[in-house]
Amino acid sequence: MKYKSIKIDELVRTGEVKLQTGPFGTQLKASDYTETGVPVINVRNVGFGNIRTKDLEFLGEKMVEQLSVHQLEKGDIVFGRKGAVERHAYIDGIGEGWIQGSDCLRLRLNSNRVDSRFLSYYLRTKTHQDWMIALCSFGATMPSLNQDIVKLITFPAPPIDIQRKVVGILSAYDDFIELNKSRVNLLSKFIQETYKEWFIRFRFPGFREAKFKKGIPETWSIKSILKEPNFKLVKPNVEQFDGEKKYYATAQVDEITLLSPTSLVTYFNKPSRAQYQPTENSAWFARMKNTYKVLSVSNKDSDLIGNAILSSGFVGFEATEKWYPFLYGLISSSSFHDTKDVYCTGATQESLTNNGLKHIKILVPEEELVLSFSKIIKPIIDQIDDIQAAVNILDNQKNALLSRILSGKLKVDDLDVSFAASGNKMEL
């Protein structure tokens, strides 16, 4: 039995939902931001049910008081109004008391028949995301979201006790997924710190005996990234194929975590930006300025190889197995992305063109040191790959479970699922 559906517009009319667009430009200007204070959630900070805390901006107490109507509460749902309209942030602990930015739209729910976290889970389904992208992109060069479109969102609404049981089940998956993502982030930071220590601070094994010339070891060289013989730029390589493949735009990478594909595409209906097929020992980064997104494809058994296509928003390099850990360390380093940003151009969206790529120079040590680095880093990259694969399996299971529950194919009525004592978590 399928559950009845509710439209957001109905909840707005009954006073169960209040929508709030972010402050106008006259209310919040660039000069109002401070180095510290209360964080502001802008569209770049909106994830898939979570907040991306990288590159937050801040406001002082006086501005927060003036913008109190835009201050966020626990249970709020925040949408981005431009670009990534299929994403949203659910405010739960992190984000409470923060300010919604000018390019955001807030949904606040106060209802006895809809659980806000349940609604957030529905908004993460591929069905909803595809619908949102299609509606917000109609007749527009950039997808745009407004209150009228949010009011059209329609979602299945089981009885409130069933919603809370669903939340309890799915939040258990989320907790385990977040634990594994934390492990990935720690391992990634180790790689980045080791790369920085060896190849930026020059504290590599034997550095005390090394001779330096013009501030760098004399045996090292500076060259264009395109002219390093151990790296190879991945050029558009999508050839005709049968069946369907997973298509990933840059929005499907959250820093170093691969999310669900944008869509499944055939060769004949693929987007024009679908240009790259990942290969073994390839590392990818997003072209956009001020955007840190890195994708590693080091494992020959990766689901991406042979089954996926990446958008032209990525740039990828291949390397030999021995040189791959150094390539990944380079591309995942903050210094590389700082350099990339210098050569980004464009009027509306600054990004790295192929011409700009030619200007990026890298510091290349002697091969012996690269191989020493690889021996340490390769097992860690393998761990990251294994954990990422487990996270993807868990995420797919969670999405499939939600789909079966909402369709009525899987009943949870008799499951013993209840709120924890804190009131904001669920226990199985």
Side-chain angles (χ1 to χ4, degrees):
M1 178 187 73
K2 283 190 175 183
Y3 297 109
K4 69 174 184 178
S5 295
I6 295 179
K7 186 179 288 189
I8 295 294
D9 185 51
E10 176 188 339
L11 299 173
V12 171
R13 286 187 280 107
T14 58
E16 295 168 272
V17 160
K18 290 185 178 179
L19 300 175
Q20 176 67 58
T21 303
F24 296 112
T26 53
Q27 296 174 290
L28 179 58
K29 303 181 289 293
S31 58
D32 294 323
Y33 290 107
T34 57
E35 291 188 7
T36 59
V38 176
V40 178
I41 297 180
N42 291 302
V43 66
R44 64 173 173 270
N45 306 117
V46 175
F48 288 90
N50 63 332
I51 297 172
R52 298 174 176 178
T53 55
K54 188 178 178 65
D55 298 324
L56 283 169
E57 294 179 309
F58 303 89
L59 293 174
E61 290 184 11
K62 185 177 179 180
M63 281 301 303
V64 170
E65 289 178 8
Q66 293 178 18
L67 299 174
S68 59
V69 70
H70 301 287
Q71 200 154 17
L72 299 171
E73 297 179 2
K74 188 174 180 178
D76 284 349
I77 293 173
V78 180
F79 301 93
R81 294 173 53 219
K82 296 286 184 181
V85 294
E86 78 278 19
R87 303 202 310 250
H88 77 279
Y90 182 78
I91 307 303
D92 182 17
I94 296 177
E96 188 175 7
W98 296 9
I99 298 292
Q100 66 174 120
S102 299
D103 53 5
C104 291
L105 192 158
R106 185 192 73 211
L107 183 152
R108 179 167 294 165
L109 188 66
N110 183 16
S111 172
N112 292 323
R113 53 178 173 151
V114 180
D115 183 283
S116 61
R117 187 180 282 276
F118 174 83
L119 176 57
S120 173
Y121 276 119
Y122 174 75
L123 297 178
R124 299 179 219 180
T125 63
K126 190 172 184 306
T127 299
H128 168 75
Q129 291 176 10
D130 288 348
W131 177 87
M132 189 72 102
I133 291 171
L135 192 62
C136 296
S137 301
F138 185 77
T141 54
M142 177 182 287
S144 299
L145 182 67
N146 55 42
Q147 291 193 18
D148 288 338
I149 292 177
V150 172
K151 290 177 182 178
L152 294 176
I153 295 173
T154 304
F155 60 96
I160 191 70
D161 60 322
I162 300 298
Q163 293 181 38
R164 288 172 177 162
K165 287 182 178 183
V166 171
V167 169
I169 296 167
L170 299 185
S171 62
Y173 272 89
D174 276 345
D175 289 345
F176 195 48
I177 288 171
E178 287 305 313
L179 176 63
N180 280 285
K181 285 183 178 180
S182 295
R183 293 173 61 199
V184 168
N185 287 332
L186 286 172
L187 292 170
S188 177
K189 285 179 181 177
F190 177 83
I191 293 174
Q192 293 173 34
E193 283 300 312
T194 305
Y195 179 89
K196 182 186 292 185
E197 189 74 0
W198 284 34
F199 305 117
I200 296 177
R201 298 182 182 131
F202 302 136
R203 294 174 183 170
F204 50 85
F207 76 94
R208 296 186 186 280
E209 292 76 37
K211 294 181 179 180
F212 286 73
K213 185 177 181 180
K214 294 184 179 180
I216 65 172
E218 64 178 9
T219 57
W220 297 19
S221 59
I222 299 175
K223 60 181 69 174
S224 164
I225 190 172
L226 296 176
K227 293 185 178 179
E228 166 51 49
N230 291 289
F231 300 163
K232 180 183 177 184
L233 178 67
V234 181
K235 297 181 179 180
N237 59 357
V238 176
E239 299 177 353
Q240 187 165 340
F241 59 87
D242 297 325
E244 294 181 321
K245 291 195 176 187
K246 300 173 183 178
Y247 171 62
Y248 293 92
T250 53
Q252 310 318 117
V253 176
D254 184 2
E255 294 198 353
I256 62 168
T257 302
L258 183 66
L259 306 173
S260 300
T262 300
S263 59
L264 294 175
V265 298
T266 67
Y267 178 77
F268 299 101
N269 75 352
K270 67 183 187 334
S272 59
R273 288 172 61 83
Q275 293 190 5
Y276 303 113
Q277 294 188 90
T279 54
E280 185 180 359
N281 294 323
S282 60
W284 303 79
F285 64 92
R287 293 179 181 269
M288 294 86 73
K289 186 174 183 178
N290 298 324
T291 302
Y292 181 90
K293 294 174 182 284
V294 178
L295 182 61
S296 168
V297 189
S298 67
N299 193 327
K300 64 182 179 182
D301 297 322
S302 170
D303 182 55
L304 292 176
I305 298 177
N307 298 315
I309 301 175
L310 304 181
S311 83
S312 56
F314 288 100
V315 178
F317 284 90
E318 298 172 322
T320 61
E321 185 175 354
K322 291 181 178 179
W323 274 75
Y324 180 75
F326 176 77
L327 170 65
Y328 179 73
L330 167 71
I331 285 181
S332 64
S333 69
S334 58
S335 59
F336 177 82
H337 287 267
D338 290 342
T339 302
K340 176 205 77 174
D341 287 349
V342 170
Y343 297 108
C344 287
T345 57
T348 55
Q349 174 66 68
E350 292 185 85
S351 61
L352 186 71
T353 64
N354 288 339
N355 186 58
L357 188 61
K358 296 177 183 177
H359 296 289
I360 294 182
K361 296 186 182 298
I362 60 172
L363 189 57
V364 183
E366 66 270 19
E367 187 170 49
E368 182 180 352
L369 190 58
V370 169
L371 299 185
S372 296
F373 180 79
S374 294
K375 286 180 182 179
I376 297 171
I377 300 304
K378 179 62 165 66
I380 297 173
I381 293 177
D382 289 342
Q383 285 186 61
I384 290 176
D385 285 349
D386 291 342
I387 296 171
Q388 293 272 36
V391 166
N392 289 339
I393 290 172
L394 286 169
D395 198 45
N396 289 335
Q397 289 177 344
K398 185 186 76 172
N399 293 335
L401 187 62
L402 178 59
S403 176
R404 287 177 59 81
I405 293 172
L406 294 181
S407 68
K409 294 178 181 177
L410 179 63
K411 296 187 179 300
V412 297
D413 308 51
D414 298 327
L415 288 180
D416 184 15
V417 184
S418 60
F419 280 109
S422 65
N424 60 12
K425 284 285 185 180
M426 306 286 283
E427 288 183 338
L428 294 174

